Amino acid sequence: MTVSTPTAGGPPELSGPVPLEIADSARARHRGLLGRTGLPGALLLTPASSVHTVRMRFAIDVAYLDRALRVLSVRTMRPGRIGLPRPRARHVLEAEAGTMAGWGVRPGALIVVHGGAQGAG
């Protein structure tokens, strides 16, 4: 996965590659990051419009994405929280708290998924 961030008047900036797992089955989305103590990259939940951090061991960054994988909003969720569904969100990207800012994930950025992404379940 890479992040394409729009720039004023120039070509978009691209992040370096980020390891990505894809949770595209009901079972994989339900399991998500439960039972893990960390994540080396990101987890893409699809389809999804909301997440929770109940029974999680660490805080996460959450990016809500539209159909085209464009970032609608980003927030950090502490363990034990339930997020409300986001209008227009069709996918959710999760990563350890604090990492998305370093990748340039912010509203308007485009997430680009490359062929080597692994399934999470």
Side-chain angles (χ1 to χ4, degrees), residues 16-87:
V18 174
L20 179 68
E21 294 180 37
I22 298 176
D24 57 0
S25 69
R27 181 178 179 182
R29 287 190 307 273
H30 180 72
R31 175 156 166 89
L33 298 175
L34 294 177
R36 298 189 194 194
T37 57
L39 180 66
L43 176 66
L44 178 66
L45 305 170
T46 182
S49 63
S50 67
V51 296
H52 70 83
T53 58
V54 175
R55 296 188 351 233
M56 288 190 56
R57 299 177 181 174
F58 57 98
I60 59 172
D61 284 343
V62 178
Y64 297 90
L65 314 175
D66 67 10
R67 292 182 195 276
L69 300 180
R70 188 161 307 279
V71 178
L72 300 170
S73 66
V74 181
R75 66 176 295 198
T76 300
M77 293 179 68
R78 296 186 319 238
R81 303 290 185 233
I82 298 174
L84 296 174
R86 299 293 168 124

